[in-house]
C-alpha cells in the first residue's frame, strides 16, 4: 500500500502512471467502476492518525479539486478520503496539509455526513495493495544541508521502502470484546440471513458467530453493494471481519461494520480447500490465516456446529418440511408481480408426484422442452415477494442454494388435463415465502464450490436431452398442468368450455345501473349499481392489504412484521427483574423442541391456570415467559392458547402491544394499545366448552384487534374511471376471512387468484371481465380537514368458477 512522495521539479504527473484517467471530484458517484482512474486535489484538512488495533490504523483527510477555479459551476468540490492500515500510517508521516495528492486504487462509499459538512455525498476509501497515494509538496523545500531536511529525507525513504511490507493484523476473541472498540475477528457462523434491501439505500445482512470462547455474537452489516456482504453458503462457514465495532445492545455485545469494513468467508468443512470468498481484488491472506481457519474448522467439528445434513435432495423431501436445497436452475418465468416460477433439478427424483405448471414459451427464460426422463426430475418452485427481485437476476444454468424452502402437499382439480390423467392429482409443491425469517433466501453458488462439484458429477451422469430425442405433441401436453398457485389466468378452459370469473350483488336494492360519469355527479350518501372493469389495484402484496382494526377507537394499523415482533420477544426474554406469580397460576417448566440437529433443548417457564388444571385441561392455556418468537411458534403446535408474559414491577405482565398477546396455533391475535387495560389474570372458563380469543381478551383487559382487508381499486367503464375502497365487505367479496388470510396459505392463494383473474398481469383490457358491483358513496375528511366523497364496494361477492379449488380452513 505505497505512498509516493514526488519532488517539486518532477511534479505529480511525472511519476503518476500515464494509463490512469483523472476524474473531477464533483463527478464521482457510487455507480462507476474506478479501476485505472485517479483523483487529484489539495489537502485542506488532515486528521489525526487513529489506532484501531495493533498495526491497524485509520486517517481521514479532506481534499479540494485543485482546478476548482476552472469548474466553478460544479458543486461538491471537496471530498473526504479515508486511509486504512499502513497506508494511513505512511501518509501521516509523509503528507501534510497544503500538499497536492493524487489517489488511485480507491473505492467509493456513500457519505453519512454529506448533508452536515457540505462536502461531497461520497467518501473515497483507500486500503489494500492496489491503493496508491502520490504526494507533491508545493512549498519550497528546506535547505538540504539542514539536519531537519536530512532527517525528513531519511524518514521518507525509510517509509516508502517499507511499503511492500505485509500488514500485520491483530484479532480479538469473541469472549474478549469490549463495547466501543473497533476490532478484527474470526467466527464460525451459527445463524445467518442473506442480504436484503433495507428501508434506505443499503443492503442489510445479519448473522451470529461463535468461536472457542463459546460466546455467540450477533452481527448486523449494512453495505451499499451486495458484493461487500459476506458470501455465506451454510451454517458452519467461517468469516473473518476487519474493522467491526463492538456495541452493547440489550445487555449483549453485537458487532456492526464501520469505515473500511472488509470480510472474507471460508468453507467450514474439515479438509475443504482454504479459499477465501470475496469480491475484493486485494486482501491479506497468509499461512497464519490458513492456520486460524483450519483451527476453527477442527473446533467446530468437535462441537457439532456443522449441520449433519447441510441440504436435503429432492429424493428425500417430505410434505410440510422446511429444508435447504442445492440445485441447478433450468428455466424461470414470471407468474405475476409478486411471484416467479423457478424450474430446478438436482439429479434425484422425488418419490411423490410433483406439481406441473403451464407456461407460455414467450415468457419463459431458458428451455421450455425437456426429455420425458429429465422432466420427471424437475421441481417447480414458487418464490414470492422480496425474493422476486433476486430471482430476476438469476440465469438458467446457475447453481443455487435455496434456504427455508417449504414442501406443501395438496389435491386439486388441475385444468388442462389429458385423458391419461385423472382429475384429482396428489402433488407436492415447493414455495419460498416472502421475508427473511429463518434465513429464508436464494444464493448463487460459485462453480468451484465443493457442493457444486458434487452436484455436477450427479448431473453429468444423466443423459442429455439430445440423447432422448424430440417429444411428441401428446407428450408435450402431459408435461404441464396449471397449479392453483399459478395466479396468472383470467379464464380457464375445461373440456372446451370457457369459465370466467364474475361478481354477484347480494343487496335487495331495486336500482338501474349508472355509468361512472353519472355516479361522480351524484350527491354522497347514496347507493349505486355499476357495471365496470377493474383497471388496477393496490397494494399488490397481500401482507400490505392485511390490517388490524379497532372497533372501539376505529384506528387501523399495519400488521407488525416478524422482525419487529422478534425484537419485542428478545427484549422481554432478557429482563432479569424479579417477580411474584399471581396465586391463581401454578408455575412449572416446559421443554422447547430443538429446531435443528445438534441444537440443545431449552426449558422455559410456564404458568398454568389452577382452574383448568383441576379440570384436566393442561394444554388448554399456558402463560409463557422468557421465550423467543420462534420458540413460541414451535410450542403453539402443542398448546391451544399461549399468552407470552414478562416480569414488570414485581408482577407478570403482557408484552408490548406491538407483539401478539395470544397465539392459537398458526393464528396470532393483537390488542389495541390505546384502548386496552391489560393485566395478567385467569380467564373465567366455568361452563364454557372451549376458550376462544374473545374470552381471553376480555379476561386480560385487552381490546381485541380485528383482522381486515383494505384495498384500493380503480374501476373503469366507457365514460370514466373511479377509485373505490374494498374494506367492510372485503370478506364477502373474496369469500375469505381476513383472519384466515393472515395465517392460511390457501386463503392467501385464493385472494391472489381472484385479483389476477379480475385484473390479469400484463393482460389487455378486452380480456378483463365486466363486474356488477354495488357501491356506497359517503363523505370523509382528508388529512388537511377537507371534506371529500369516497366510494366503497358493498354487498358484492366474486363468483368463482367451479374449476377453482376452494380455500381450505386453517
Amino acid at each position: 500500500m505505497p505512498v509516493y512522495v514526488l519532488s517539486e521539479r518532477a511534479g505529480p504527473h511525472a511519476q503518476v502512471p500515464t494509463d490512469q484517467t483523472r476524474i473531477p471530484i464533483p463527478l464521482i458517484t457510487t455507480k462507476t467502476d474506478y479501476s485505472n482512474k485517479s483523483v487529484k486535489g489539495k489537502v485542506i484538512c488532515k486528521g489525526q492518525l487513529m489506532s484501531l488495533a495493533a498495526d491497524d490504523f485509520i486517517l481521514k483527510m479532506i481534499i479540494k479539486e485543485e482546478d476548482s477555479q476552472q469548474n466553478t459551476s460544479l458543486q461538491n468540490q471537496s471530498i473526504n478520503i479515508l486511509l486504512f492500515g499502513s497506508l494511513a500510517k505512511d501518509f501521516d508521516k509523509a503528507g501534510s496539509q497544503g500538499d497536492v495528492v493524487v489517489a488511485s486504487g480507491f473505492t467509493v462509499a456513500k457519505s453519512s455526513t454529506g448533508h452536515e459538512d457540505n462536502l461531497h455525498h461520497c467518501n473515497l476509501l483507500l486500503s489494500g495493495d492496489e491503493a496508491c497515494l502520490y504526494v507533491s509538496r508545493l512549498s519550497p523545500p528546506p535547505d538540504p544541508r539542514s539536519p531537519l531536511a536530512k532527517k525528513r529525507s531519511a524518514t521518507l525513504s525509510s517509509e516508502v521502502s517499507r511499503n511492500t511490507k505485509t500488514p500485520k493484523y491483530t484479532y480479538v476473541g469473541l469472549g474478549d470484546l469490549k463495547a466501543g472498540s473497533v476490532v478484527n475477528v474470526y467466527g464460525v457462523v451459527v445463524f445467518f440471513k442473506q442480504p436484503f434491501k433495507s428501508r434506505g439505500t443499503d443492503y442489510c445482512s445479519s448473522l451470529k458467530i461463535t468461536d472457542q470462547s463459546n460466546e455467540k455474537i450477533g452481527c448486523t452489516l449494512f453495505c451499499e453493494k451486495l458484493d461487500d456482504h459476506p458470501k455465506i453458503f451454510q451454517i458452519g462457514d467461517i468469516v473473518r471481519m476487519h474493522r467491526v465495532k463492538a456495541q452493547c445492545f440489550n445487555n449483549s455485545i453485537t458487532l456492526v461494520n464501520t469505515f473500511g469494513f472488509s470480510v472474507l468467508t471460508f468453507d467450514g468443512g474439515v479438509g475443504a480447500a482454504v479459499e477465501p470468498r470475496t469480491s475484493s481484488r486485494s486482501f491479506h491472506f497468509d499461512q497464519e490465516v490458513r492456520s486460524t481457519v483450519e483451527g476453527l474448522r477442527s473446533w467446530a467439528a468437535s462441537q457439532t456446529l456443522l449441520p449433519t445434513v447441510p441440504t436435503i435432495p429432492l429424493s428425500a423431501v417430505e410434505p410440510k418440511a422446511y429444508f435447504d436445497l442445492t440445485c441447478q436452475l433450468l428455466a424461470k418465468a414470471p407468474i405475476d408481480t409478486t411471484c416467479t416460477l423457478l424450474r430446478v433439478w438436482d439429479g434425484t427424483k422425488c418419490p411423490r408426484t410433483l406439481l406441473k405448471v403451464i407456461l407460455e414459451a414467450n415468457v419463459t427464460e431458458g428451455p421450455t422442452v425437456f426429455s420425458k426422463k429429465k422432466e420427471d426430475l424437475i421441481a417447480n418452485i414458487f418464490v414470492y415477494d422480496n425474493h422476486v427481485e433476486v430471482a430476476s437476476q438469476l440465469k438458467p444454468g446457475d447453481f443455487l442454494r435455496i434456504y427455508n424452502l417449504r414442501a406443501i402437499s395438496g389435491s386439486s382439480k388441475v385444468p388442462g388435463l389429458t385423458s391419461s390423467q385423472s382429475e384429482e392429482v396428489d402433488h407436492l409443491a415447493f414455495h419460498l415465502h416472502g421475508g427473511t425469517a429463518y434465513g429464508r433466501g436464494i444464493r448463487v453458488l460459485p462453480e468451484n464450490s465443493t457442493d457444486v462439484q458434487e452436484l455436477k458429477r450427479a448431473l453429468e451422469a444423466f443423459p442429455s436431452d439430445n440423447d432422448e430425442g424430440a417429444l411428441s405433441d401428446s407428450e408435450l401436453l402431459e408435461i404441464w398442468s396449471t397449479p392453483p398457485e399459478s395466479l396468472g389466468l383470467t379464464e380457464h378452459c375445461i373440456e372446451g368450455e370457457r369459465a370466467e370469473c364474475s361478481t354477484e350483488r347480494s343487496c335487495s336494492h331495486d336500482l338501474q345501473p349508472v355509468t361512472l360519469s353519472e355516479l361522480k355527479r351524484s350527491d354522497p350518501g347514496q347507493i349505486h349499481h355499476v357495471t365496470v372493469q377493474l383497471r388496477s389495484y393496490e397494494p399488490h402484496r397481500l401482507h400490505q392489504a392485511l390490517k388490524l382494526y379497532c372497533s372501539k377507537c376505529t384506528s387501523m394499523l399495519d400488521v407488525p412484521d416478524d422482525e419487529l415482533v422478534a425484537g419485542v420477544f428478545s427484549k422481554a426474554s432478557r429482563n432479569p427483574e424479579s417477580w411474584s406469580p399471581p396465586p391463581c397460576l401454578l408455575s412449572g417448566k416446559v421443554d422447547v423442541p430443538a429446531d435443528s440437529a445438534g441444537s440443545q433443548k431449552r426449558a422455559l417457564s410456564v404458568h398454568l391456570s389452577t382452574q383448568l388444571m383441576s379440570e384436566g385441561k393442561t394444554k388448554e392455556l399456558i402463560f409463557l415467559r422468557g421465550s423467543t418468537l420462534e420458540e413460541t411458534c414451535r410450542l403453539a403446535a402443542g398448546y391451544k392458547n399461549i399468552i407470552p408474559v414478562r416480569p414488570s414491577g414485581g408482577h407478570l405482565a403482557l408484552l408490548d402491544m406491538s407483539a401478539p398477546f395470544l397465539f392459537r396455533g398458526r393464528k396470532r391475535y393483537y390488542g389495541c394499545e390505546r384502548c386496552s387495560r391489560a393485566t395478567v389474570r385467569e380467564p373465567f372458563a366455568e361452563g364454557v366448552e372451549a376458550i376462544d380469543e374473545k374470552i381471553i381478551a376480555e379476561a386480560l383487559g385487552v381490546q381485541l384487534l380485528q383482522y381486515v382487508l383494505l384495498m384500493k381499486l380503480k374501476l373503469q367503464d366507457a365514460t370514466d374511471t373511479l377509485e373505490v375502497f374494498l374494506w367492510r365487505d372485503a370478506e364477502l367479496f373474496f369469500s375469505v376471512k381476513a383472519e384466515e388470510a393472515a395465517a392460511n396459505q390457501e386463503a392467501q392463494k385464493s385472494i391472489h387468484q381472484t385479483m389476477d383473474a379480475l385484473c390479469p398481469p400484463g393482460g389487455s383490457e378486452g380480456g378483463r371481465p365486466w363486474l356488477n358491483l354495488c357501491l356506497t358513496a359517503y363523505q370523509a375528511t382528508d388529512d388537511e380537514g377537507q371534506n371529500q366523497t369516497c366510494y366503497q364496494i358493498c354487498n358484492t361477492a366474486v363468483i368463482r368458477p367451479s374449476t377453482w379449488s376452494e380455500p381450505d380452513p386453517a
Side-chain angles (χ1 to χ4, degrees):
M1 297 181 286
V3 173
Y4 297 106
V5 180
L6 310 178
S7 65
E8 181 186 7
R9 289 187 300 273
H13 294 290
Q15 299 181 45
V16 174
T18 57
D19 60 343
Q20 292 185 353
T21 303
R22 180 183 166 191
I23 302 297
I25 290 176
L27 302 183
I28 292 174
T29 70
T30 58
K31 299 179 180 179
T32 304
D33 180 12
Y34 290 98
S35 303
N36 299 320
K37 294 180 174 60
S38 62
V39 171
K40 180 181 179 183
K42 183 177 181 180
V43 179
I44 61 174
C45 179
K46 177 188 173 186
Q48 292 184 342
L49 182 70
M50 305 292 292
S51 177
L52 303 178
D55 297 317
D56 194 9
F57 304 93
I58 183 172
L59 185 145
K60 177 181 176 181
M61 65 175 170
I62 302 173
I63 66 170
K64 184 177 181 180
E65 181 74 33
E66 189 187 26
D67 300 332
S68 59
Q69 293 180 351
Q70 302 175 13
N71 299 294
T72 54
S73 62
L74 296 177
Q75 301 296 317
N76 299 321
Q77 298 279 349
S78 302
I79 192 169
N80 284 309
I81 294 185
L82 296 166
L83 310 178
F84 298 95
S86 59
L87 185 67
K89 186 177 180 181
D90 292 345
F91 180 77
D92 182 56
K93 296 180 179 179
S96 303
Q97 187 166 316
D99 290 347
V100 173
V101 297
V102 176
S104 65
F106 54 82
T107 58
V108 180
K110 189 174 180 180
S111 172
S112 60
T113 60
H115 63 287
E116 299 173 358
D117 53 23
N118 294 321
L119 300 179
H120 198 287
H121 62 276
C122 296
N123 292 333
L124 302 187
L125 311 181
L126 277 78
S127 65
D129 296 334
E130 296 187 7
C132 292
L133 204 60
Y134 303 87
V135 182
S136 177
R137 193 162 291 105
L138 297 183
S139 57
D143 185 347
R145 294 170 295 180
S146 69
L148 179 61
K150 292 179 180 179
K151 181 178 179 181
R152 180 67 172 171
S153 176
T155 301
L156 293 181
S157 300
S158 174
E159 291 301 319
V160 174
S161 68
R162 291 204 304 266
N163 286 331
T164 58
K165 179 182 177 181
T166 302
K168 177 71 175 178
Y169 294 96
T170 300
Y171 297 90
V172 177
L174 299 182
D176 299 324
L177 295 175
K178 304 296 182 184
S181 59
V182 177
V183 295
N184 307 317
V185 298
Y186 282 91
V188 181
V189 177
V190 294
F191 172 80
F192 68 99
K193 286 185 179 182
Q194 297 296 341
F196 58 92
K197 192 71 174 177
S198 68
R199 294 182 179 179
T201 59
D202 292 342
Y203 287 89
C204 175
S205 62
S206 60
L207 59 147
K208 186 172 288 187
I209 59 176
T210 188
D211 64 4
Q212 290 90 336
S213 67
N214 282 316
E215 291 288 339
K216 291 182 172 60
I217 303 297
C219 311
T220 303
L221 310 175
F222 287 91
C223 300
E224 189 170 3
K225 298 178 181 177
L226 278 173
D227 286 343
D228 293 338
H229 286 267
K231 302 181 185 301
I232 301 170
F233 297 157
Q234 66 183 27
I235 290 174
D237 280 353
I238 295 170
V239 294
R240 187 195 79 181
M241 295 187 290
H242 282 181
R243 304 180 189 94
V244 286
K245 185 175 183 178
Q247 295 182 339
C248 187
F249 179 73
N250 285 341
N251 298 322
S252 297
I253 291 291
T254 62
L255 294 175
V256 296
N257 55 313
T258 62
F259 279 123
F261 166 77
S262 64
V263 60
L264 300 182
T265 312
F266 302 89
D267 190 319
V270 175
V274 184
E275 296 180 356
R277 305 173 195 151
T278 178
S279 60
S280 175
R281 293 174 297 175
S282 61
F283 51 87
H284 173 64
F285 183 76
D286 57 15
Q287 185 58 41
E288 185 177 344
V289 175
R290 186 183 303 272
S291 299
T292 302
V293 171
E294 290 176 343
L296 278 171
R297 283 175 172 178
S298 300
W299 173 80
S302 67
Q303 303 295 313
T304 63
L305 292 178
L306 287 172
T308 54
V309 182
T311 60
I312 295 178
L314 291 172
S315 59
V317 172
E318 294 292 335
K320 299 182 180 180
Y322 288 92
F323 65 101
D324 298 344
L325 176 67
T326 302
C327 57
Q328 185 182 31
L329 178 65
L330 298 175
K332 66 175 185 176
I335 297 298
D336 62 17
T337 56
T338 64
C339 178
T340 295
L341 174 73
L342 304 181
R343 307 206 71 213
V344 305
W345 73 323
D346 67 356
T348 68
K349 182 177 181 179
C350 182
R352 298 178 181 272
T353 304
L354 296 181
L355 188 66
K356 305 297 181 182
V357 188
I358 291 178
L359 290 173
E360 297 180 7
N362 61 349
V363 300
T364 303
E365 184 177 347
T368 58
V369 177
F370 300 93
S371 68
K372 185 67 170 67
K373 289 184 178 179
K374 190 170 184 178
E375 186 66 42
D376 290 339
L377 305 184
I378 295 176
N380 293 309
I381 297 176
F382 296 93
V383 302
Y384 298 97
D385 297 336
N386 56 299
H387 307 300
V388 170
E389 180 182 354
V390 179
S392 67
Q393 302 173 19
L394 303 178
K395 300 296 181 184
D398 284 346
F399 292 95
L400 311 177
R401 178 159 290 158
I402 305 177
Y403 301 91
N404 200 239
L405 187 62
R406 190 182 185 192
I408 301 177
S409 60
S411 178
S412 61
K413 179 181 278 189
V414 181
L417 299 178
T418 65
S419 58
S420 63
Q421 292 175 286
S422 61
E423 287 190 343
E424 295 296 328
V425 179
D426 290 326
H427 61 261
L428 194 65
F430 300 104
H431 299 262
L432 184 67
H433 302 302
T436 60
Y438 311 111
R440 194 174 298 140
I442 304 173
R443 166 71 78 175
V444 178
L445 300 178
E447 297 211 10
N448 61 355
S449 162
T450 304
D451 294 321
V452 170
Q453 295 302 317
E454 293 179 2
L455 180 57
K456 277 186 173 182
R457 286 191 288 270
L459 300 182
E460 288 169 357
F462 193 84
S464 65
D465 288 337
N466 295 332
D467 298 334
E468 294 292 318
L471 296 174
S472 64
D473 291 341
S474 61
E475 288 176 318
L476 286 174
L477 288 174
E478 293 178 1
I479 288 178
W480 303 98
S481 61
T482 306
E485 294 83 353
S486 154
L487 312 182
L489 301 178
T490 305
E491 55 193 32
H492 303 271
C493 296
I494 303 297
E495 299 176 357
E497 295 185 4
R498 178 171 165 138
E500 282 195 359
C501 194
S502 61
T503 56
E504 181 179 71
R505 292 189 293 265
S506 59
C507 61
S508 57
H509 307 124
D510 186 14
L511 299 172
Q512 291 296 319
V514 297
T515 65
L516 293 182
S517 61
E518 292 172 332
L519 184 152
K520 293 172 79 169
R521 292 194 298 269
S522 302
D523 294 330
Q526 301 183 46
I527 302 293
H528 305 274
H529 288 177
V530 296
T531 301
V532 294
Q533 289 177 311
L534 179 58
R535 182 172 180 174
S536 62
Y537 64 92
E538 59 183 46
H540 285 277
R541 296 183 178 181
L542 176 62
H543 72 271
Q544 295 173 338
L546 274 170
K547 306 291 182 182
L548 294 170
Y549 174 70
C550 178
S551 59
K552 188 172 182 179
C553 66
T554 69
S555 61
M556 190 173 292
L557 310 171
D558 291 327
V559 179
D561 59 33
D562 275 0
E563 299 286 343
L564 174 63
V565 175
V568 175
F569 272 79
S570 177
K571 181 179 180 180
S573 66
R574 297 192 182 101
N575 191 343
E577 186 177 339
S578 59
W579 56 277
S580 299
C584 63
L585 300 181
L586 296 177
S587 301
K589 295 284 186 179
V590 63
D591 288 332
V592 181
D595 60 341
S596 62
S599 62
Q600 297 181 349
K601 292 183 178 180
R602 263 218 324 152
L604 298 175
S605 297
V606 296
H607 311 282
L608 306 176
S609 162
T610 53
Q611 178 185 340
L612 294 176
M613 286 282 290
S614 65
E615 297 175 5
K617 300 178 180 179
T618 56
K619 292 186 176 292
E620 189 75 23
L621 182 145
I622 63 171
F623 294 86
L624 183 63
R625 180 173 57 85
S627 68
T628 64
L629 173 61
E630 182 182 352
E631 291 168 338
T632 305
C633 292
R634 291 207 300 271
L635 281 174
Y639 294 87
K640 293 183 180 179
N641 299 281
I642 295 181
I643 302 173
V645 293
R646 61 181 173 87
S648 177
H651 303 283
L652 283 182
L654 300 184
L655 303 191
D656 187 282
M657 281 297 167
S658 57
F661 75 90
L662 174 65
F663 287 76
R664 287 172 57 84
R666 293 172 59 188
K667 296 180 181 179
R668 305 177 186 182
Y669 294 92
Y670 293 83
C672 178
E673 186 171 8
R674 183 188 305 174
C675 302
S676 298
R677 300 294 181 267
T679 183
V680 173
R681 55 175 171 258
E682 184 179 27
F684 180 75
E686 186 175 351
V688 176
E689 292 185 4
I691 299 176
D692 61 16
E693 64 278 5
K694 295 179 181 178
I695 293 176
I696 294 174
E698 183 178 357
L700 299 177
V702 173
Q703 176 62 39
L704 185 64
L705 291 177
Q706 174 189 355
Y707 282 101
V708 296
L709 287 162
L710 175 62
M711 303 184 74
K712 184 166 70 173
L713 282 56
K714 190 170 188 178
L715 310 178
Q716 65 179 13
D717 64 7
T719 65
D720 209 337
T721 61
L722 180 69
E723 289 187 342
V724 303
F725 292 103
L726 178 60
W727 173 34
R728 293 192 182 275
D729 282 359
E731 294 184 347
L732 171 65
F733 187 84
F734 291 114
S735 299
V736 171
K737 290 187 176 296
E739 183 179 313
E740 299 297 327
N744 186 335
Q745 187 180 14
E746 289 295 317
Q748 299 167 12
K749 175 192 66 181
S750 174
I751 296 175
H752 276 304
Q753 191 178 37
T754 298
M755 295 309 299
D756 284 342
L758 301 182
C759 185
S764 65
E765 294 185 4
R768 299 174 185 179
W770 288 91
L771 310 175
N772 296 316
L773 304 178
C774 181
L775 300 181
T776 178
Y778 58 96
Q779 285 278 356
T781 304
D782 61 18
D783 294 337
E784 298 178 355
Q786 301 296 320
N787 289 332
Q788 61 178 359
T789 302
C790 298
Y791 303 89
Q792 192 171 154
I793 296 176
C794 60
N795 303 313
T796 306
V798 174
I799 306 303
R800 299 165 56 86
S802 59
T803 56
W804 290 9
S805 60
E806 294 297 326
D808 296 330

